[in-house]
Amino acid sequence: MAKVEPALPFDHFSGKISSKERIVMRTRNGRTHAYAVMNPYTGPLAESRKRAISNFSQAVRQCKSEMTDPERLAYWQTRYEQYNNQARRNVTRANAKFIGTNTDKYYSTLRGFIIASLSVQLRGKQ
């Protein structure tokens, strides 16, 4: 017997319904989550914040190009496997060794790992 899971029209909904809406939808790791934005900041951005946003957007663009190149993707997959093996024992040490930060954040996706690594490299160049 086949298992049928009907798809809803808004099965992978992301973003806001309108610009004034406070509830935002996003899909992470195959699950859709809703969260409310409380007291959003509407003032001007500081220079440090602008640099951080620019750094992140540049890392995302570079990650996309790295993931489309099969040779670079193989490199990152190998590195991510090594990271996962070490992170099982100690996440902070794995981040210090493979990414260059001293945080205890575990990167559960290859894309997130690549973006974090590239962001640290870009920050070092500035």
Side-chain angles (χ1 to χ4, degrees), residues 27-73:
T27 303
R28 294 289 184 262
N29 298 326
R31 299 185 72 194
T32 302
H33 303 275
Y35 62 97
V37 177
M38 307 300 276
N39 304 319
Y41 180 72
T42 57
L45 294 175
E47 285 301 316
S48 60
R49 191 73 204 125
K50 288 178 185 177
R51 278 193 307 276
I53 291 169
S54 172
N55 184 19
F56 181 76
S57 62
Q58 188 176 355
V60 169
R61 281 192 304 272
Q62 193 173 347
C63 173
K64 186 175 180 179
S65 68
E66 295 270 326
M67 290 183 81
T68 55
D69 181 13
E71 209 172 278
R72 293 298 296 166
L73 181 60

Side-chain angles (χ1 to χ4, degrees), residues 66-82:
E66 295 270 326
M67 290 183 81
T68 55
D69 181 13
E71 209 172 278
R72 293 298 296 166
L73 181 60
Y75 164 78
W76 284 110
Q77 286 172 332
T78 304
R79 195 160 166 82
Y80 184 63
E81 278 180 31
Q82 294 169 348

Side-chain angles (χ1 to χ4, degrees), residues 10 19 23 26 35 50 58 61 78 81 86 92 95 98-99 101-102 118:
F10 49 88
S19 63
I23 297 177
R26 70 178 180 192
Y35 62 97
K50 288 178 185 177
Q58 188 176 355
R61 281 192 304 272
T78 304
E81 278 180 31
Q86 180 130 9
T92 307
N95 285 342
F98 291 98
I99 297 174
T101 61
N102 290 323
L118 294 174

Side-chain angles (χ1 to χ4, degrees), residues 83 86-87 89-108 112-113 116-117 119-120 123:
Y83 167 77
Q86 180 130 9
R89 287 182 246 130
N90 189 320
V91 175
T92 307
R93 281 191 196 148
N95 285 342
K97 180 177 179 182
F98 291 98
I99 297 174
T101 61
N102 290 323
T103 63
D104 61 347
K105 177 175 177 20
Y106 173 69
Y107 295 95
S108 61
F113 174 76
S117 300
S119 291
V120 169
R123 249 185 278 144

